[in-house]
Amino acid sequence: MADKTSTDQKPLREKTSEDFAKYFQTTFQPPSLKDARRRRREDIEVHYDFAISEDMQQVGIGKKFFIRTYGCQMNEHDTEVMAGILEGMGYEATTEMEAADVILLNTCAIRENAENKVFGEIGHLKPLKLEKPDLLIGICGCMSQEEAVVNRILKKHPFIDMIFGTHNIHRLPEIIKGALFGKEMVVEVWSKEGDIIENLPKVRKGNIKAWVNIMYGCDKFCTYCIVPYTRGKERSRLPEDIIEEVRHLARNGYQEITLLGQNVNAYGKDFTDLDYRFGDLMDDLHKIDIPRIRFTTSHPRDFDDHLIDVLAQGGNLMEHIHLPVQSGNTDILKIMGRKYSREQYLELVRKMKERIPDVTFSTDIIVGFPNETEEQFEDTLSIMREVEYDAAYTFIYSPRDGTPAARMEDNVSMEVKKERLQRLNKLVNDIALKKNKVFEGQIVDVLVEGESKKNADVLSGYTRKNKVVNFKGPKSAIGNIVPVRIKEAKTWTLDGELVTETTEVT
Ligand code: SAH
Ligand code: SF4
Ligand code: F3S
């Protein structure tokens, strides 16, 4: 790294080809899943000194960037950070890929079909690159952390200019510098997580709702899951930094924040000299004057009593909890490495239903885990009925290279898996409709986000319990929380009418 730093300090125009050669030696850093699996003891440092070097602050002036985001909210938020960095370099956002000078694909590795979509898109980009040789194309996000993906891009898609991972997005200016001024593909993927960089710029999508990272990484290592390899070990942001960010968002008129982490309930477990956990954080955030606070995702294992008590206060803490169960069968849960049984999960749900007024749940489910029997699958159907989830995101198990489950033999055919998914989805929909019907005639508070996608005359927003409501109303309602009377419940949406003094009188 020493060489690179000394080269970096020279102004760009004074650099020799040797300087660039050195640069590339140090930036050809492909990933290793084996290294990514290791969990080390050393402390994570927090930095507040991010800056874009002077020579890169104007390279984007008159140029445009386009970022396509796949995957979860974590990626959505990383895209906001990359947009912030690119704007700091003078680039301007565009919604048209063809108009862009820099295209980034922020990728997801969670299932094979997520990856296939990205490879399809990479194929589409080739003609664009041929037409516009100065275009820079970068692949980032979780797929970049996988060796097999990087090797495939190096071999089959050499027109890609940059590959960088989830731990070094703050290096975007240097990565772009390498791609702009060098001839080789820049590959910079750190297998080991980096430190926490606090002061990264962000361009948030919208001014009503905002994402706030509270922690990075995952140490759970569920046997099917690639995330602990692509996102590194669990690192929590300091409470004061999170609280300050939320206060700042509240001052700027944001109505809702969603706290992000792969496993938010593990927040603070990594602090060595501070006894402060997710319940404490929620309790502190509860006191901030922002109307709505949500969080995702909760792992059932770390959901402690203190957190339940804090959530029971309600107010700006929403009574909707996304609590992935994955399977309703204890033996499958055990092989998945989830570290809870069906009974423990149900006990947690029971406790929350008892203590958090009117709480609702959504979940994630994997069907067709290796060797799942019909009876084990039926346990998943029965837990659906027992908990009565308002929504469930259901997936067919997809083997991920490098994970323990990918090495398991599997005697369940794809046909059976698809048939199980259909049966599960039918039940999910039936329950969702039944739960939605309860709202007919009720008045709910809706945070109005904008016009409905299908009809510009109709406004659309979310209830406290995260249900989509469509209703007719004035555009001035956008960005506000308004009362809506529900007229008709559908499976995934509620139709209603705005409650005004006139509608109440009539
Ligand atoms: N951290 C979250 C989940 C993040 S991934 C949690 O543990 O709850 C989102 C969802 O993708 C998971 O809940 C799981 O249902 C699904 N998923 C993860 N790996 C998968 C795989 N290999 N095949 C199919 N679905 C998977
Ligand atoms: Fe994956 Fe499990 Fe971590 Fe969720 S908790 S990200 S499913 S390893
Ligand atoms: Fe996908 Fe990475 Fe999120 S694998 S689900 S983008 S953490």
Side-chain angles (χ1 to χ4, degrees):
M1 278 296 181
D3 272 349
K4 197 188 147 302
T5 318
S6 59
T7 357
D8 256 12
Q9 281 160 356
K10 278 193 202 171
L12 269 182
R13 61 184 174 284
E14 285 174 25
K15 286 185 184 171
T16 62
S17 53
E18 253 176 34
D19 290 333
F20 283 116
K22 270 185 208 159
Y23 186 88
F24 288 116
Q25 272 164 25
T26 53
T27 51
F28 189 78
Q29 271 181 274
S32 147
L33 283 184
K34 207 166 135 216
D35 285 352
R37 182 164 43 224
R38 290 171 50 200
R39 289 296 182 263
R40 303 159 180 85
R41 272 173 180 273
E42 71 253 51
D43 284 343
I44 294 290
E45 280 177 32
V46 185
H47 300 268
Y48 299 86
D49 55 357
F50 172 83
I52 297 171
S53 63
E54 241 174 71
D55 59 350
M56 292 307 283
Q57 284 172 12
Q58 302 196 345
V59 284
I61 288 179
K63 293 184 180 167
K64 297 196 163 82
F65 73 88
F66 175 93
I67 310 180
R68 173 148 293 158
T69 314
Y70 303 80
C72 65
Q73 296 91 337
M74 207 75 66
N75 257 18
E76 299 270 355
H77 191 42
D78 285 350
T79 289
E80 295 180 333
V81 172
M82 292 192 287
I85 297 177
L86 287 166
E87 291 198 1
M89 295 165 72
Y91 289 98
E92 202 187 302
T94 173
T95 51
E96 280 171 57
M97 206 181 228
E98 291 72 23
D101 302 278
V102 176
I103 296 176
L104 299 179
L105 302 186
N106 191 7
T107 64
C108 170
I110 201 81
R111 283 170 292 274
E112 195 186 353
N113 58 4
E115 297 206 347
N116 289 343
K117 269 191 229 157
V118 172
F119 278 113
E121 186 72 56
I122 292 178
H124 292 145
L125 288 175
K126 192 172 179 182
L128 207 59
K129 176 76 183 182
L130 289 175
E131 219 175 88
K132 220 169 144 180
D134 288 343
L135 169 68
L136 289 186
I137 304 179
I139 309 294
C140 54
C142 287
M143 277 171 71
S144 304
Q145 297 289 143
E146 296 179 286
E147 288 152 66
V149 168
V150 171
N151 289 336
R152 181 165 162 189
I153 296 174
L154 284 168
K155 266 202 208 113
K156 298 209 174 137
H157 308 285
F159 63 92
I160 296 295
D161 302 279
M162 326 170 256
I163 306 179
F164 57 100
T166 58
H167 302 312
N168 55 336
I169 57 180
H170 61 283
R171 298 245 323 137
L172 190 52
E174 286 74 23
I175 291 163
I176 290 197
K177 186 195 284 186
L180 274 178
F181 300 103
K183 288 198 176 65
E184 308 291 319
M185 189 191 297
V186 177
V187 179
E188 191 183 287
V189 184
W190 300 351
S191 295
K192 175 188 176 308
E193 62 286 331
D195 290 334
I196 293 178
I197 321 279
E198 271 303 332
N199 64 327
L200 292 171
K202 294 173 193 119
V203 177
R204 295 188 190 269
K205 208 167 132 194
N207 51 11
I208 302 170
K209 304 209 289 196
W211 311 114
V212 176
N213 269 129
I214 64 164
M215 60 184 300
Y216 305 94
C218 180
D219 288 347
K220 287 283 184 279
F221 286 101
C222 303
T223 55
Y224 51 82
C225 186
I226 195 74
V227 172
Y229 305 81
T230 64
R231 292 277 169 175
K233 79 169 179 183
E234 287 174 357
R235 294 98 75 206
S236 304
R237 286 179 69 196
L238 295 175
E240 57 266 34
D241 292 330
I242 299 168
I243 291 168
E244 186 41 45
E245 184 173 348
V246 175
R247 282 208 184 113
H248 177 80
L249 291 165
R251 279 195 299 271
N252 283 284
Y254 281 86
Q255 300 291 302
E256 177 175 310
I257 54 148
T258 302
L259 307 174
L260 293 182
Q262 284 305 339
N263 171 14
V264 288
N265 311 77
Y267 176 79
K269 271 176 127 178
D270 56 318
F271 291 148
T272 44
D273 48 4
L274 186 64
D275 183 16
Y276 188 94
R277 299 290 301 276
F278 189 51
D280 301 307
L281 180 68
M282 288 302 277
D283 206 18
D284 279 339
L285 296 178
H286 174 60
K287 294 169 195 140
I288 297 178
D289 187 15
I290 190 152
R292 290 183 171 188
I293 302 178
R294 302 183 189 277
F295 54 89
T296 196
T297 298
S298 280
H299 191 292
R301 194 172 154 79
D302 294 317
F303 219 112
D304 58 42
D305 282 358
H306 178 223
L307 176 59
I308 299 177
D309 287 340
V310 170
L311 294 178
Q313 299 172 82
N316 61 359
L317 309 179
M318 298 300 100
E319 59 276 14
H320 165 251
I321 294 168
H322 185 63
L323 195 67
V325 64
Q326 313 298 0
S327 164
N329 177 270
T330 297
D331 291 333
I332 292 283
L333 287 169
K334 196 163 188 184
I335 314 171
M336 284 178 163
R338 291 291 290 182
K339 301 192 178 73
Y340 53 82
S341 64
R342 175 188 174 98
E343 290 67 34
Q344 283 167 329
Y345 182 94
L346 285 173
E347 173 55 21
L348 177 63
V349 167
R350 192 199 55 75
K351 219 170 15 178
M352 283 198 256
K353 282 186 174 170
E354 190 181 283
R355 281 156 59 183
I356 306 172
D358 226 10
V359 68
T360 58
F361 296 95
S362 56
T363 199
D364 290 348
I365 289 174
I366 296 177
V367 299
F369 191 74
N371 310 313
E372 181 192 56
T373 64
E374 172 62 24
E375 292 71 41
Q376 289 170 329
F377 169 67
E378 282 172 16
D379 283 344
T380 296
L381 295 178
S382 75
I383 208 165
M384 275 297 312
R385 288 190 206 98
E386 208 162 328
V387 178
E388 292 210 305
Y389 296 102
D390 278 42
Y393 302 89
T394 57
F395 311 101
I396 290 184
Y397 165 72
S398 169
R400 308 315 295 136
D401 252 2
T403 62
R407 292 190 289 275
M408 294 175 194
E409 282 195 31
D410 186 1
N411 62 14
V412 191
S413 70
M414 188 45 86
E415 209 186 329
V416 169
K417 294 184 193 215
K418 284 188 177 159
E419 183 259 339
R420 285 183 191 161
L421 183 70
Q422 272 181 8
R423 280 159 67 199
L424 175 63
N425 284 346
K426 164 94 178 55
L427 179 63
V428 169
N429 291 359
D430 290 350
I431 296 174
L433 182 60
K434 176 182 160 203
K435 302 271 324 242
N436 273 357
K437 284 277 176 205
V438 175
F439 289 97
E440 286 183 351
Q442 283 190 25
I443 295 176
V444 290
D445 281 342
V446 176
L447 171 55
V448 189
E449 288 189 21
E451 292 165 6
S452 125
K453 280 185 199 125
K454 289 188 200 144
N455 181 350
D457 291 339
V458 172
L459 298 178
S460 185
Y462 285 83
T463 68
R464 291 178 62 92
K465 298 186 203 307
N466 218 24
K467 295 198 177 281
V468 179
V469 177
N470 294 314
F471 65 100
K472 286 205 170 123
K475 304 274 179 272
S476 58
I478 295 172
N480 295 309
I481 296 174
V482 298
V484 176
R485 185 187 300 281
I486 302 306
K487 291 286 184 192
E488 192 190 346
K490 299 181 176 160
T491 307
W492 297 120
T493 55
L494 300 169
D495 287 347
E497 73 178 12
L498 186 65
V499 178
T500 58
E501 278 167 28
T502 4
T503 52
E504 278 310 84
V505 173
T506 50

